Amino acid sequence: MPSLASSLSDCVSAAAARLGMADLAPQIRRSEHADFQSDGVLAAARARRRNPREIAAEVVARLSADGRVAAAQVAGPGFVNLDLTDGALLAQLTDRLTDPRLGVGTPEAGVTTVVDYSQPNIAKEMHVGHLRSTIIGDALVRVLEHLGGTVVRRNHIGDWGTQFGMLIQHQVEHPEPTAPQDAGTMRRLATLYRRARADFDADPAFADRARRRVVALQAGDPATVAAWRDIVAESTRYFTEVYDRLGVRLTDADSVGESAYNTALPGLADELERRRVAVTSDGALCVFFDDLRGPDGEPTPLIVRKSDGGFGYAATDLAALRQRVGELHADRLLYVVDARQARHFRMVFDTARRAGWLPPTVPAVHVAFGTVLGPDGRPFKTRAGDTVRLVDLLTEAVDRARDVVAAKNPELAGEALDERARQVGTGAVKYADLANNRVRDYTYDPQRMLALTGNTGVYLQYAHARVRSILARAEGVEATVDPTVGLEPAERALILDLDAFADTLAEVAAGYEPHRLCGYLYRLAQTFTTFYERCPVLRTTGTRRGNRLALCRLTGDTLRTGLHLLGIDAPEQL
């Protein structure tokens, strides 16, 4: 059964068609003055040079008398206000209650989307800069899958290049006779990287030896390759631990490093040159763009192959894109990457289109996001000025959440308290990120994000737990709908909000904007609070209680499903 807004759109379109205005495209939205308001008449009136209020009145007169619309009135310069009957709302409640998908269809069925997100670098610890890509990407994956799409997750890991020559050469020249206390952890690799980087920058002779080690790696030298594999394996174990803590769906199988495309790069460069997409400039193979120039007015190229014969990440990105379209048969490509990479991706996509690797029918979208800021309004750093480690951020959030949960539920202790703190703390971090429009910067504020009031993940988890508590206390009473019982205003408002779930998910998928789902869930929780305050549930008797329990159950199921699509746990109690 379609949403109420969709049904009304069909109803208004049918009325307009009876007037010979099949081109009228009504936009149905919620209104403060009625259940819904329809526009679209203004455009039709302009095209016909008629008074829009007259056309709106004609549309109202020809609306179908099928028992769904209780009242229809012309408003403003040509809008149509629409109120639904109680019977129509209760029928919709019944339908949603008996549908395990809560009215959500599968509009993405048959569409294969490759989502590129997270993208950490081997031998480097994940930091706060990886937070947004990982969380936003995971939410989009969940929503697209829920809408019936086939989603291929891709974690494009940096596992190739000069830094590995540095790391391996430093290990060769500085073997550790006694393993440090934190051997086998990413902290050891991070320390090794800093030392190797310092030597590389300060010692030209070491830099030359490191570059030769890169050549040995590319040539397949057994000892060098074995050392590289050890570093990659150690980093991969660490990434898996972080993803498990975050509760995201990325696995080892989703990780495809830059090294996977290494053998394809020479042929890729030759093809670009052969197709005259790329040309040699100062010894480098470059792609130029008419409208992209630097501050000095000189053209800004995409460098496919450097003058020393090496390949950078532009070539790797092109190889990955070609493989995703050609072999994975992607219908859509999403790259969840920092907004500062906008120019890079524009050049990559343009190059791929000119080369014929990215057909016009396959959209490639840079799902850009802003920066996480500290209290000073600058990119979030530690007091020492270092980038905040993602593990440290999560640990702090869970520790703070433990205090919040313990104060709310003093009976919890031990492992139960630890698990609840993990659910609340991690959920708070993720929701604080997702609730913001992804293109904007936002300030990381752990105190605010763990508040029990306001637009926070904790508030939504608490709202869900409260609904489950009501249902638990009503055990044995059926949550069945009696369509003959009249509705209170708060009940009507709750049904209307519940009905918008499917349309909201469609909006999230259309604009790749998880914050729309956050906003919807927050409004739903607020609407439920108003309903609960004005419409007693457990103290009501008869069929009215069944209707209100049905509203509670559908609210709980919708909150749980919505939080799950954001990658956030919905505990039965806090």
Side-chain angles (χ1 to χ4, degrees):
M1 190 172 184
S3 69
L4 293 169
S6 178
S7 296
L8 286 174
S9 179
D10 293 342
C11 184
V12 174
S13 294
R18 296 185 192 103
L19 293 168
M21 294 189 296
D23 60 321
L24 189 147
Q27 299 294 317
I28 306 294
R29 56 179 58 87
R30 293 285 298 278
S31 170
E32 294 180 359
H33 308 291
D35 291 339
F36 292 96
Q37 186 175 85
S38 171
D39 64 12
V41 171
L42 296 176
R46 279 196 297 269
R48 291 165 174 78
R49 298 184 179 180
R50 291 188 57 194
N51 185 319
R53 285 184 61 86
E54 291 179 359
I55 292 180
E58 292 174 3
V59 169
V60 167
R62 284 165 177 77
L63 287 173
S64 174
D66 58 5
R68 286 182 297 175
V69 178
Q73 295 180 330
V74 178
F79 300 112
V80 177
N81 285 349
L82 299 159
D83 283 310
L84 296 171
T85 64
D86 287 355
L89 292 175
L90 287 167
Q92 196 76 350
L93 173 61
T94 301
D95 181 72
R96 291 293 182 265
L97 201 64
T98 56
D99 180 4
R101 290 186 55 80
L102 309 178
V104 178
T106 55
E108 290 286 324
V111 179
T112 297
T113 305
V114 177
V115 183
D116 187 328
Y117 61 115
S118 195
Q119 310 115 357
N121 289 311
I122 295 295
K124 293 183 180 179
E125 292 182 280
M126 292 180 70
H127 53 75
V128 68
H130 295 107
L131 178 68
R132 301 210 73 184
S133 176
T134 305
I135 291 174
I136 294 170
D138 185 65
L140 293 177
V141 165
R142 289 169 182 265
V143 170
L144 293 174
E145 287 180 339
H146 191 69
L147 294 177
T150 298
V151 180
V152 179
R153 300 181 292 271
R154 275 293 177 263
N155 194 0
H156 192 74
I157 290 177
D159 69 345
W160 203 247
T162 303
Q163 66 267 34
F164 292 97
M166 285 183 343
L167 284 166
I168 297 168
Q169 189 62 33
H170 193 278
Q171 281 185 321
V172 169
E173 296 182 10
H174 302 280
E176 297 175 340
T178 303
Q181 186 177 0
D182 59 348
T185 67
M186 272 300 293
R187 185 64 63 90
R188 183 187 73 83
L189 277 182
T191 300
L192 174 66
Y193 181 86
R194 285 194 295 272
R195 292 172 180 170
R197 178 87 251 182
D199 285 353
F200 186 88
D201 292 340
D203 185 353
F206 174 78
D208 287 340
R209 294 194 297 275
R211 293 188 183 97
R212 290 197 295 272
R213 183 63 65 174
V214 175
V215 174
L217 176 61
Q218 294 172 338
D221 173 65
T224 304
V225 170
W228 171 76
R229 285 177 176 162
D230 286 343
I231 293 171
V232 170
E234 192 168 328
S235 297
T236 301
R237 285 192 294 271
Y238 160 78
F239 297 150
T240 299
E241 292 173 1
V242 175
Y243 294 142
D244 286 346
R245 288 190 64 176
L246 271 174
V248 298
R249 292 188 172 180
L250 283 171
T251 67
D252 290 353
D254 303 320
S255 298
V256 181
E258 293 176 332
S259 61
Y261 307 102
N262 191 52
T263 58
L265 301 185
L268 177 144
D270 291 343
E271 185 175 346
L272 287 175
E273 194 166 20
R274 190 170 60 252
R275 292 173 181 264
R276 297 185 179 179
V277 175
V279 297
T280 300
S281 176
D282 294 330
L285 186 64
C286 304
V287 180
F288 289 93
F289 309 87
D290 293 337
D291 57 343
L292 291 180
R293 296 181 179 274
D296 57 0
E298 292 297 315
T300 301
L302 182 74
I303 300 176
V304 178
R305 185 178 59 219
K306 295 179 285 188
S307 58
D308 63 3
F311 294 95
Y313 60 88
T316 305
D317 283 341
L318 285 167
L321 185 152
R322 184 174 64 171
Q323 187 262 349
R324 291 166 184 178
V325 175
E327 297 180 23
L328 300 180
H329 308 294
D331 299 304
R332 174 172 55 200
L333 302 173
L334 303 183
Y335 292 79
V336 187
V337 183
D338 188 315
R340 291 171 292 184
Q341 296 296 318
R343 172 173 284 203
H344 168 75
F345 280 107
R346 179 187 167 188
M347 292 192 290
V348 167
F349 298 158
D350 192 345
T351 298
R353 295 224 185 265
R354 286 156 64 179
W357 302 333
L358 187 60
T361 55
V362 179
V365 182
H366 174 205
V367 183
F369 55 84
T371 303
V372 182
L373 306 176
D376 58 358
R378 299 178 179 179
F380 195 25
K381 302 280 187 181
T382 66
R383 291 182 179 179
D386 299 324
T387 302
V388 177
R389 297 167 66 228
L390 186 49
V391 169
D392 292 341
L393 183 146
L394 293 174
T395 299
E396 180 194 19
V398 171
D399 288 344
R400 285 174 175 263
R402 186 176 287 103
D403 295 336
V404 172
V405 172
K408 191 69 180 174
N409 191 347
E411 296 179 359
L412 274 182
E415 292 182 2
L417 176 59
D418 291 341
E419 174 61 12
R420 195 64 46 77
R422 182 198 65 77
Q423 293 174 322
V424 172
T426 305
V429 170
K430 296 171 85 168
Y431 189 86
D433 191 297
L434 294 170
N436 290 276
N437 187 321
R438 60 173 169 76
V439 300
R440 297 176 184 166
D441 300 342
Y442 79 92
T443 300
Y444 183 78
D445 184 348
Q447 184 172 350
R448 179 187 175 280
M449 74 184 188
L450 283 163
L452 284 166
T453 58
N455 190 11
T456 68
V458 186
Y459 172 72
L460 292 181
Q461 288 174 320
Y462 178 65
H464 172 263
R466 183 168 60 167
V467 173
R468 296 305 179 196
S469 174
I470 295 168
L471 293 171
R473 282 182 282 156
E475 186 177 1
V477 181
E478 290 293 327
T480 55
V481 179
D482 183 344
T484 66
V485 177
L487 291 171
E488 298 289 336
E491 293 172 311
R492 293 179 62 88
L494 185 53
I495 293 175
L496 289 167
D497 272 359
L498 287 166
D499 186 63
F501 185 46
D503 291 341
T504 299
L505 294 185
E507 292 175 0
V508 172
Y512 316 114
E513 297 173 321
H515 78 275
R516 294 188 179 277
L517 177 54
C518 295
Y520 166 79
L521 295 176
Y522 179 53
R523 289 191 300 274
L524 178 61
Q526 290 180 307
T527 303
F528 177 80
T529 297
T530 301
F531 155 77
Y532 187 67
E533 290 173 348
R534 297 180 182 177
C535 302
V537 177
L538 299 178
R539 289 187 286 110
T540 300
T541 59
T543 56
R544 186 176 294 277
R545 181 164 65 169
N547 283 10
R548 291 179 178 176
L549 284 173
L551 281 168
C552 290
R553 197 179 108 191
L554 186 55
T555 300
D557 291 349
T558 304
L559 287 172
R560 180 182 60 199
T561 302
L563 286 169
H564 171 74
L565 293 176
L566 295 172
I568 298 172
D569 291 323
E572 294 290 308
Q573 58 178 253
L574 284 188

